[in-house]
Amino acid sequence: MAQVNGALSSHSDLTSADYDPLEHLNTIFSHPSTLSSAPTVSQALQSHQKTLDGSISDLVTNQAASDESNLFKIRQTQEDLNVLLTKIEVVRLRALQTEEAITTMTADIKRLDGTKRNLTLSMTVLKRLQMLTTAYEQLRSLVRTRQYRECAQLLAAVVQLMAHFRSYRSIDQIAALGRKVTELQRELLEQICEDFESAFQKNEINSKKGLLSEACAVLDALGDGARERLVNWYCNTVLKEYRQIFRGNDEAGSLDNISRRYAWLNRVLKTYDHDHAAMFPQHWRVNELLANTFCQSTREDFKGILQRSAQKADGQRLDVNLLLSCLQETLDFEHGLERRFASDSRRSTDTMTSADDKAHAFEQAISEAFEPYLSLWVESQDKYLATLIPKYRSQPLRSTDEDFSPALVIPSSTELFQVYRLNLAQCAKLSTGSRLLELSKTFGKYLDQYGQQVLFYFLGGSAGLQGPSLEDTNTILNTADYCYTTCGQLEEKIKARIDEEYKSSVDLQNQADTFMGIAGAAVRAFVRKVEIECEPTWREMRNTGWSKLENVGDQSSYVSELVRHVRSKAAEVLRLLQKQQYARIFCDNLVDSLTNSYIANIMQCRPISEVGAEQMLLDFYVLKKAFTELPTINSETPQQPQATYSKRVAQTMSKTDPLLKTLQVRPSPPEALVQAYLIHLKDRSEANFRTILDLKGVTRKQDQASLVELFNAHRASQGDSLSASAPIFSVLRTPAPGAGAGASGTFNQLGSNMPTPNLSGAKFDAATFGSALLNAAKDGVDRFGSPAPNPSSTISSPGRVASPPHESQAREIQQAGSLNDNLKNIGRFFRRDMGTFGRFGGKGAGTDER
């Protein structure tokens, strides 16, 4: 029973939101034996229901009482709010009443204040009207008696007083008085102008100088219009004689008599300073206005004269010398006027002289008329510069009494840029537009010619069989570098002076690239000097019996001589080079050249045994170590070369290892040689494989046939992993330097095949010049200038028919253009590489920047 009561009284079941009565009953009567307790359960439920009903009744009663209290509080609050609004309305009504009372009290005071202001204004106006009337009457009497000093002071007061009556123009009496004052001002201006005219006509300037000076003070009071009228009259009166003399007479007005024009103005200005300056106030700057009017009139005269001269029926052109003489004299005259009138007082508060400060500036005041004809001057400069190029080519690189310096440049280069500087300064004074652009193109034209016909001529065409000396080559290199730097500076100076619309058209970068290309050719000439020194050692290498060596020993005898020659000559070159970039480029090119020479000589040493190939590899490692030390050979203390240089040497010389390692493998068994070839050289060309067989001395057709058949079988299994032809074979097939030619003959080929226009009949290959210049050791010096096939023309070379004489001129022009284009391309290559070099080598490598 207790269990049943507990289950019945469980609030967790009865108060649950998902209460299920059936489940609850099943819980209470879970067994048939519990059915006897049903009455008890029913009674318990009824008791619990009564308890709940009582609780609900109490809650309803309490809630009803609470609602009545809230309603009472709300009604009380509404009554309090009505009382507050009533009080606010009462305060507002009292405020309105107070405002009306104050307005009534102050109305009389406001009327009195207004009356006072009106009375004061009326008294002021009447007083000013009286003053104006009195001043007007006095001014009339003073005008009649020409008392200009008093007139000036009184006129200023009248003008100031009239300004106060502008708002009273509607009053007839004041409007009439205003018209009288205006009429008096007009009469006064006319009277003063008549006095000036009379004084100048009757030559009474000195006697009336004081009166006229006082009259100018009156004109100041009359305003800018009156002053401008008198000044214009004065300028026209003074220049009347000038216009009659130099316009009416063709001979007097011609360009030949330009100095007479300027002398005339100088005399007039002296007369002004002596006789007329005292009449005019200084701040009027009448002499400057007179000079400016003279310049305007003269400029118009010159425009007409030059136009008529350019349109002559006989077809004769303007005399350039006369034009330049007149232009120079005009410029000097303008500069003289600038100096005469330049002063701090130019910027004044006076509207006439400061409205536009440039109005009285005399720069190009007259010379502007010459600007359309400056193309004649540009043409004359073109002709003058054309005479300098042959002159510079005939001069020595340095005078006989001048000591050599590693930083020396050819004097003609500095002279040429000095001429450019003077021409630029002169042209910029005359024109900063299209004429300056024309001059910049002329500069570029003769920079190209200077590079081709002077620098390149000295480098390859004038040095004879032995080529230029190391000192001369270094001077050419310094000059090319100087011209490269100065081209950029010249371009910037032109752009700083030329008009904005033409700046994008100024470009001397092609000329700068040309000079950089010449610098590259000079570096290549240094490398060629070292190559010539090494030719006897290469001959010794070729004469060694590489197929008869029985064992590998120390380095070969030719290696010591080769290293000695390279170090000795390279040390001389590095002591001359002043810039680290060129020292690095020289070392890089030298390593490339010697590496390619070594590979090319291997082909001349066949047959080569396995022991011979091993000895070659040992020798090559000795050379590699020596080449790595090139930048520091002039260092007083042991130094390590740059890591980037050492890495480049290793990369350049690494292409020889696969070849020599392949040659070390015996041809028997044949699979070993074929596998070594495919592994090391990674080449699928049968012709290249036969080249390796020739190097190893496998010359019997039967032996070669079996090896080639085996090679083809293994090659097929490699798929696309093999290259069509390994790059080293192009070097192997290149004739070794010096083979079949002496040192002098070989260098002569280098010089004669770097032609300059109109100087040599040798042909120039524009297609291969760039690669030949920087990699001549790889391709062979005899190929440096070899001509490319050209079906449109015949080429003069050994074994070929020379071009007809009538084609020579066109061919020379084409040759000059090809040379210039290739120098530009090489210059861009050099300029790109020089930007990547940092500090390089030791003391001997050149640590000073020029």
Side-chain angles (χ1 to χ4, degrees), residues 142-286:
L142 293 174
V143 169
R144 295 192 190 97
T145 57
R146 285 181 166 77
Q147 299 181 40
Y148 292 135
R149 179 180 300 176
E150 293 78 6
C151 280
Q153 300 174 359
L154 196 56
L155 179 61
V158 169
V159 172
Q160 186 177 4
L161 289 171
M162 280 301 303
H164 293 289
F165 289 96
R166 289 177 183 172
S167 58
Y168 301 100
R169 290 281 185 174
S170 59
I171 301 175
D172 295 338
Q173 292 81 355
I174 294 179
L177 181 59
R179 288 192 293 271
K180 291 180 180 179
V181 171
T182 302
E183 180 63 22
L184 181 61
Q185 289 177 332
R186 187 190 63 78
E187 293 177 1
L188 181 58
L189 175 59
E190 296 296 334
Q191 180 175 304
I192 292 175
C193 291
E194 291 175 0
D195 290 343
F196 270 91
E197 292 175 3
S198 175
F200 273 80
Q201 290 175 359
K202 298 178 181 180
N203 199 17
E204 298 176 348
I205 297 175
N206 292 330
S207 60
K208 294 185 177 181
K209 189 177 298 184
L211 178 66
L212 298 179
S213 176
E214 294 173 355
C216 290
V218 175
L219 294 181
D220 258 340
L222 288 174
D224 295 338
R227 179 175 56 193
E228 184 176 356
R229 174 180 172 181
L230 178 63
V231 172
N232 288 339
W233 171 85
Y234 173 79
C235 293
N236 291 329
T237 300
V238 173
L239 294 176
K240 182 178 180 180
E241 177 187 1
Y242 168 77
R243 293 175 176 133
Q244 292 175 349
I245 295 175
F246 293 99
R247 272 190 183 169
N249 190 322
D250 290 339
E251 180 179 356
S254 64
L255 292 179
D256 295 328
N257 293 319
I258 192 171
S259 58
R260 292 180 56 192
R261 292 175 177 264
Y262 302 147
W264 185 91
L265 180 64
N266 289 329
R267 288 195 303 270
V268 168
L269 291 178
K270 288 181 180 179
T271 302
Y272 173 86
D273 293 338
H274 185 266
D275 297 333
H276 302 168
M279 292 189 303
F280 301 103
Q282 186 176 2
H283 66 273
W284 282 18
R285 305 184 69 84
V286 175

Side-chain angles (χ1 to χ4, degrees), residues 211-367:
L211 178 66
L212 298 179
S213 176
E214 294 173 355
C216 290
V218 175
L219 294 181
D220 258 340
L222 288 174
D224 295 338
R227 179 175 56 193
E228 184 176 356
R229 174 180 172 181
L230 178 63
V231 172
N232 288 339
W233 171 85
Y234 173 79
C235 293
N236 291 329
T237 300
V238 173
L239 294 176
K240 182 178 180 180
E241 177 187 1
Y242 168 77
R243 293 175 176 133
Q244 292 175 349
I245 295 175
F246 293 99
R247 272 190 183 169
N249 190 322
D250 290 339
E251 180 179 356
S254 64
L255 292 179
D256 295 328
N257 293 319
I258 192 171
S259 58
R260 292 180 56 192
R261 292 175 177 264
Y262 302 147
W264 185 91
L265 180 64
N266 289 329
R267 288 195 303 270
V268 168
L269 291 178
K270 288 181 180 179
T271 302
Y272 173 86
D273 293 338
H274 185 266
D275 297 333
H276 302 168
M279 292 189 303
F280 301 103
Q282 186 176 2
H283 66 273
W284 282 18
R285 305 184 69 84
V286 175
N287 53 348
E288 185 174 350
L289 293 171
L290 175 62
N292 187 62
T293 306
F294 170 86
C295 291
Q296 293 176 1
S297 178
T298 304
R299 182 177 65 243
E300 296 302 319
D301 286 353
F302 285 167
K303 285 182 179 179
I305 293 172
L306 291 170
Q307 186 176 7
R308 289 192 298 271
S309 300
Q311 297 176 351
K312 285 184 178 179
D314 54 7
Q316 293 183 355
R317 303 185 65 183
L318 283 171
D319 187 348
V320 177
N321 293 329
L322 176 61
L323 181 69
L324 293 179
S325 175
C326 294
L327 182 56
Q328 186 60 52
E329 192 167 355
T330 301
L331 290 174
D332 294 340
F333 176 72
E334 290 175 349
H335 295 160
L337 293 179
E338 277 290 333
R339 290 192 300 270
R340 178 186 181 100
F341 298 113
S343 65
D344 294 337
S345 61
R346 179 183 294 265
R347 294 185 178 273
S348 68
T349 57
D350 185 73
T351 56
M352 187 173 183
T353 57
S354 64
D356 185 2
D357 193 45
K358 294 184 179 179
H360 301 159
F362 294 96
E363 185 177 356
Q364 296 189 2
I366 302 176
S367 57

Side-chain angles (χ1 to χ4, degrees), residues 406-425:
L408 184 68
V409 298
I410 302 176
S412 61
S413 63
T414 58
E415 180 182 338
L416 179 63
F417 280 106
Q418 177 67 9
V419 172
Y420 279 8
R421 186 185 68 83
L422 295 176
N423 287 346
L424 175 60

Side-chain angles (χ1 to χ4, degrees), residues 46-107:
Q46 290 176 0
S47 177
H48 184 64
Q49 182 179 4
K50 289 178 181 180
T51 304
L52 292 176
D53 290 339
S55 299
I56 292 172
S57 178
D58 293 339
L59 291 174
V60 171
T61 302
N62 293 334
Q63 182 64 37
S66 176
D67 290 342
E68 291 178 1
S69 176
N70 291 336
L71 289 174
F72 176 76
K73 291 179 179 180
I74 291 174
R75 286 194 295 271
Q76 187 65 34
T77 302
Q78 289 178 347
E79 292 175 0
D80 294 341
L81 182 60
N82 291 332
V83 172
L84 180 60
L85 292 175
T86 302
K87 292 181 179 180
I88 292 174
E89 182 63 22
V90 172
V91 172
R92 188 181 69 81
L93 293 175
R94 290 180 180 178
L96 292 175
Q97 293 173 1
T98 304
E99 182 180 1
E100 291 177 359
I102 294 174
T103 301
T104 303
M105 294 171 60
T106 59

Side-chain angles (χ1 to χ4, degrees), residues 286-511:
V286 175
N287 53 348
E288 185 174 350
L289 293 171
L290 175 62
N292 187 62
T293 306
F294 170 86
C295 291
Q296 293 176 1
S297 178
T298 304
R299 182 177 65 243
E300 296 302 319
D301 286 353
F302 285 167
K303 285 182 179 179
I305 293 172
L306 291 170
Q307 186 176 7
R308 289 192 298 271
S309 300
Q311 297 176 351
K312 285 184 178 179
D314 54 7
Q316 293 183 355
R317 303 185 65 183
L318 283 171
D319 187 348
V320 177
N321 293 329
L322 176 61
L323 181 69
L324 293 179
S325 175
C326 294
L327 182 56
Q328 186 60 52
E329 192 167 355
T330 301
L331 290 174
D332 294 340
F333 176 72
E334 290 175 349
H335 295 160
L337 293 179
E338 277 290 333
R339 290 192 300 270
R340 178 186 181 100
F341 298 113
S343 65
D344 294 337
S345 61
R346 179 183 294 265
R347 294 185 178 273
S348 68
T349 57
D350 185 73
T351 56
M352 187 173 183
T353 57
S354 64
D356 185 2
D357 193 45
K358 294 184 179 179
H360 301 159
F362 294 96
E363 185 177 356
Q364 296 189 2
I366 302 176
S367 57
E368 180 186 351
F370 293 88
E371 183 172 353
Y373 307 92
L374 286 181
S375 57
L376 298 176
W377 176 79
V378 176
E379 292 176 5
S380 70
Q381 296 305 310
D382 187 297
K383 295 178 181 178
Y384 172 69
L385 292 172
T387 63
L388 294 181
I389 302 302
K391 170 187 171 184
Y392 292 157
R393 194 173 61 204
S394 62
Q395 293 176 350
L397 292 179
R398 67 177 188 273
S399 59
T400 55
D401 57 346
E402 183 179 6
D403 295 333
F404 173 76
S405 169
L408 184 68
V409 298
I410 302 176
S412 61
S413 63
T414 58
E415 180 182 338
L416 179 63
F417 280 106
Q418 177 67 9
V419 172
Y420 279 8
R421 186 185 68 83
L422 295 176
N423 287 346
L424 175 60
Q426 187 174 6
C427 185
K429 295 176 182 177
L430 308 176
S431 172
T432 56
S434 58
R435 299 299 174 262
L436 185 54
L437 180 61
E438 290 179 15
L439 185 65
S440 71
K441 295 183 182 300
T442 302
F443 287 168
K445 171 184 174 182
Y446 287 99
L447 285 174
D448 285 334
Q449 292 193 17
Y450 184 80
Q452 297 174 32
Q453 300 187 18
V454 179
L455 296 186
F456 210 70
Y457 169 74
F458 284 136
L459 187 62
S462 66
L465 298 179
Q466 296 299 327
S469 65
L470 291 180
E471 293 181 351
D472 289 347
T473 304
N474 185 70
T475 302
I476 295 170
L477 173 61
N478 291 339
T479 305
D481 181 73
Y482 164 76
C483 292
Y484 168 77
T485 304
T486 313
C487 275
Q489 297 172 353
L490 178 62
E491 180 180 334
E492 292 302 320
K493 288 185 177 180
I494 295 175
K495 287 184 176 180
R497 298 193 177 195
I498 201 168
D499 294 342
E500 188 69 29
E501 59 182 307
Y502 297 107
K503 284 186 178 181
S504 59
S505 301
V506 178
D507 184 12
L508 297 179
Q509 189 58 55
N510 289 336
Q511 287 70 29

